[in-house]
Amino acid sequence: MKLDTCLLAALVALVLPLCSWTAALSSHEDNMVLSSTVTSGHWKFNDVTNISTFLLDPDTGMLYLGARDAIIAVDTAKTLMYRKIMWNVTEEKSSSCVTKGKTEADCNNYIRLLEFLGDGRIYACGTYAFDPQCAFVNISNFTLEKFEDGTDKMEIGKGKCPFEPSQHYTAVMAGGILYTATTSNFLGTLFDISRATGVEQERIRTERSINWLSDPEFVSSAFIQEDQNNNPTGEDDKIYFFFTEVAKEYDFYTKVKVPRVARVCKSDIGGMKTLQRRWTTFLKAQLVCEDRGSGQRFNILTDVFTKQHEPGDPSSTHFYGIFTSQWEREEMSAVCVYSLKDITKVMDGPFKELKRTCENWMNPEPVPTPRPGQCLNNALKAQGFDSSLKLPDKVLTFMRDHPLMENSVVAAPLLVRNGVTYTKVAVTLTPLSNSKHNATVLHLGTDHGELHRIAVVGPNATLLQEIPLFPASESINNILLYKDDALVGSPNSLVKLPAKGCSLYNSCEMCARAHSLGCVWSINKAACSLAATESGEVLKSDVLISRCGSSTERCSPEIKDLPVSEGLHVLLPCVQVSPRPCHWKHPPQRHTRRHLSDLEVRVTSESNGTYMCFCEEAGREQPACPRAAFRLLLQEPRASLSALQSSSRQFVASYILSFLVGVAVCVFVVCLICRHHKRGGGGHSSSTSEKGRDLLPSSDTPQSPSSSSLFSEAVPFAEKRNGTLNGHGGHISERKCGYIYTNSSGLKLQDTSLHLVDEFPGRERAGLEGEEEGLGDGLSEIGEGLSGLEEELAKLHVLRGAPLAQCEESSI
């Protein structure tokens, strides 16, 4: 017998039970499959990743996408067809980037800017391995312009595009000139809002001062062009920038972030002496998004959508912003809207000043004339100030030291949602039937690949749809509205789906929610349509409510009895129809945790009682509506749980025992062979050698039970994740953990009664069968010793059951 053979036998004894255990665990891994509920176009770019930029040609419907090392052109009228330009980084540039400490993934070319130049070309800028470069795309043949030697025609992109792919950034084209807000150095420590193109002498930027920009995170920008036919005061065009920065006016123990809006004027070209090549019109103000009822303030701005409420009237512009809170641990999002008139009023108000003597912010000394930060208009030109170069130094000095306004632009949230993180917003205005006012429909993208539609009419917000578009790992990073469609993008995909019309709501209940938009349920067509187009065939509002379920029925849910056992976790669902908050009433002695509007309960001996969910649907002035009710009934633990624990202990004990037996047998045989060679001396006494060969196949170690029986029948627990239980467009993202999940049809308990074998193989005596003459005594002693070891292993308290699979997220 060779030593290698013995060690191989021991290794097999160790690996076989482990392989069966691993196979059992792997049999429960779910493959995530994307299933889209939309019927419109869906583009999946398998060879392109990190799509971050949208540019739409409204005349042709061609959509241009900026991605990693590529620019894509998608004809939105032709599904599944697109063209691609590869714009890669040279090997030399990539190697240089890696040697500077950056990862290979970051040392690619991430296209962050796409803008039309108006001459049949697109201006494209990318990070280009932390050395921003810009190129020109010929639209007609969709190629990059090249030099005569065949190389790509590029120019320096510093100040036009960020260095790092993940850096916050925004840019806007105004009159053929590019205005950007980005970092301007390799380390990402310098921030500029600048005029990045145009005449070299007119390329100006912000002052490098924390009073101007303090560690900002740029979000969005907008160009507001005055109406040439209706501008009696001759006001200049303006560019607005939205960002979040660290507030210097609050002296707290920690950094306080605040959302800001900043404004510069299009004709500003800097000062003559003071503020040379710097903005002379840079003003900023704080945005306040506060729920006055609860006092909750949202201070992190994540996205802004610009919308003219009256097309052609710049003064009717509104800015819709998504906010989160710096202080809340749970996911929470709010949407606030600010009018251009309110922002202009604050910009024309008092300035904020820091008095160094007492370290308190207060109003400054009298403001010089002409007013600092004012854009050029007819009145200034009449006084001889037809250029920012002619402004007095005292005005520019005051402007340099006082960029912040005293007052804030205040708004109350249109909606607040717990457990949801919104990433992008787009807005459509829908005329109300029999009213001059419009309803606001918010198209909101989440960080879990969902599109939510919410209608806002006055103080009431109604959740219309929750549509899963992408896997939960892909956040929505672009929403663009074109004609009657919405183009929604993630880092890897693009979806086109309808954005307007009552036909979006394919059930009576969903149509009833959209009743404020003029939608009613048609009897003949069994479809949702506008009331004006279906006269004579549509139900009246009171009949519609009674057909879909009256408010009395919806607010009187049936109490469901749920038998539970101590130690289990139960997830009680609550359907959140409105984006307004929900709350639970339950027994005082309980162990609970919120998951969106649902409630997780850890069952204890004191968990018996009624659990009811109340949701606000008509505003704070109306009483909350009960949406769900459950009664937990504590019962004895199921016998299968104890069977699982007992079987698990036997499984682990048998596994360890088989390994130890294999090692002991090999050691004994090796010692036996060594003793034989010492006595027999070199290869005689064939009878002894024959005995040694007969001993090997006679050894028999206890066989470990296959672990597949422990896990093959297990049903994964479910926990709701980021969504509502909505049968009409709702989405449930689940996480496999140790929960019991309930739905509207009742309780679905975890099937812990595993189909075990009738009994595990007995812990056999770990000796050798068929002992040869002269060795029986020694083998008997070893068998007795291993039998004693078996008894000791059986007493170990640490072997209390096999571990379950760790939590992992999936999307349904």
Side-chain angles (χ1 to χ4, degrees), residues 104-121:
E104 292 185 3
D106 287 342
C107 292
N108 288 287
N109 187 22
Y110 294 84
I111 313 303
R112 299 295 305 276
L113 173 69
L114 294 173
E115 289 289 348
F116 292 113
L117 290 177
D119 57 358
R121 296 184 300 170

Side-chain angles (χ1 to χ4, degrees), residues 376-551:
L376 292 180
N377 53 27
N378 294 336
L380 283 178
K381 293 177 181 179
Q383 299 176 21
F385 302 109
D386 56 354
S387 170
S388 61
L389 296 174
K390 296 183 178 181
L391 292 174
D393 281 348
K394 64 176 182 178
V395 173
L396 299 180
T397 301
F398 187 94
M399 179 66 254
R400 180 192 62 194
D401 298 334
H402 306 85
L404 181 62
M405 308 311 298
E406 171 69 22
N407 298 327
S408 300
V409 190
V410 182
L414 297 178
L415 66 95
V416 177
R417 293 205 71 183
N418 295 325
V420 178
T421 299
Y422 288 127
T423 56
K424 298 296 292 185
V425 59
V427 178
T428 56
L429 300 178
T430 302
L432 294 175
S433 58
N434 301 325
S435 175
K436 297 181 180 180
H437 301 285
N438 292 328
T440 302
V441 180
L442 304 176
H443 307 261
L444 296 162
T446 74
D447 61 343
H448 286 272
E450 295 178 349
L451 179 66
H452 294 183
R453 287 193 172 109
I454 297 176
V456 180
V457 181
N460 298 324
T462 304
L463 179 62
L464 300 177
Q465 287 180 318
E466 288 184 337
I467 309 174
L469 297 180
F470 309 112
S473 58
E474 294 186 29
S475 65
I476 291 178
N477 58 10
N478 279 290
I479 301 178
L480 195 152
L481 302 178
Y482 174 59
K483 295 183 177 179
D484 292 336
D485 294 324
L487 300 170
V488 185
S490 75
N492 301 314
S493 304
L494 171 68
V495 168
K496 183 181 75 171
L497 66 162
K500 295 181 180 179
C502 296
S503 59
L504 294 175
Y505 316 114
N506 54 10
S507 70
C508 182
E509 182 181 355
M510 292 179 63
C511 189
R513 295 188 211 167
H515 182 67
S516 59
L517 306 180
C519 298
V520 293
W521 189 253
S522 171
I523 299 176
N524 295 342
K525 296 182 180 180
C528 192
S529 57
L530 284 173
T533 62
E534 294 289 341
S535 59
E537 291 187 0
V538 296
L539 296 174
K540 296 182 180 180
S541 58
D542 54 346
V543 179
L544 176 65
I545 294 175
S546 63
R547 178 67 61 88
C548 296
S550 64
S551 59

Side-chain angles (χ1 to χ4, degrees), residues 159-386:
K160 307 171 187 177
C161 176
F163 285 72
E164 187 175 350
S166 60
Q167 284 176 341
H168 296 273
Y169 162 75
T170 183
V172 64
M173 192 71 77
I177 305 298
L178 182 66
Y179 295 80
T180 64
T182 182
T183 54
S184 57
N185 66 333
F186 181 86
L187 297 177
T189 56
L190 299 179
F191 306 91
D192 289 328
I193 293 177
S194 64
R195 181 186 289 120
T197 61
V199 180
E200 181 66 28
Q201 292 76 14
E202 297 181 359
R203 296 187 183 183
I204 60 178
R205 60 175 174 83
T206 47
E207 185 79 359
R208 296 267 169 80
S209 168
I210 60 173
N211 290 332
W212 284 47
L213 293 173
S214 176
D215 195 16
E217 296 178 358
F218 300 113
V219 172
S220 181
S221 53
F223 173 49
I224 305 300
Q225 187 174 12
E226 295 293 333
D227 187 0
Q228 297 179 356
N229 300 325
N230 186 19
N231 188 15
T233 60
E235 285 294 327
D236 192 13
D237 298 336
K238 304 173 182 65
I239 298 94
Y240 291 85
F241 295 89
F242 297 88
F243 55 95
T244 302
E245 69 172 352
V246 177
K248 307 307 296 183
E249 65 266 30
Y250 299 122
D251 186 16
F252 290 156
Y253 66 93
T254 186
K255 292 183 178 180
V256 178
K257 294 183 178 182
V258 295
R260 305 279 202 204
V261 54
R263 185 195 72 184
V264 295
C265 302
K266 187 172 179 291
S267 61
D268 188 356
I269 56 175
M272 179 61 71
K273 296 180 181 179
T274 305
L275 293 181
Q276 291 185 12
R277 306 290 294 272
R278 303 293 186 269
W279 294 108
T280 65
T281 56
F282 178 82
L283 297 176
K284 64 179 182 179
Q286 179 176 346
L287 298 174
V288 175
C289 181
E290 183 178 10
D291 185 5
R292 297 167 184 171
S294 63
Q296 174 70 46
R297 178 172 291 194
F298 303 90
N299 63 325
I300 305 295
L301 182 64
T302 59
D303 188 46
V304 174
F305 183 83
T306 304
K307 179 70 175 179
Q308 281 190 5
H309 282 200
E310 298 178 11
D313 182 8
S315 62
S316 68
T317 302
H318 286 68
F319 304 98
Y320 293 80
I322 298 177
F323 293 82
T324 60
S325 176
Q326 178 183 1
W327 315 110
E328 293 294 331
R329 295 183 180 180
E330 296 182 358
E331 292 179 302
M332 182 179 293
S333 295
V335 177
C336 281
V337 57
Y338 305 90
S339 68
L340 181 61
K341 294 180 180 179
D342 291 340
I343 295 177
T344 302
K345 182 178 180 180
V346 172
M347 294 293 185
D348 293 339
F351 295 87
K352 188 181 286 289
E353 183 179 18
L354 175 64
K355 290 291 186 181
R356 296 295 178 183
T357 55
C358 59
E359 296 294 329
N360 289 326
W361 291 85
M362 55 193 309
N363 291 337
E365 298 298 327
V367 179
T369 303
R371 179 183 172 84
Q374 185 179 7
C375 294
L376 292 180
N377 53 27
N378 294 336
L380 283 178
K381 293 177 181 179
Q383 299 176 21
F385 302 109
D386 56 354

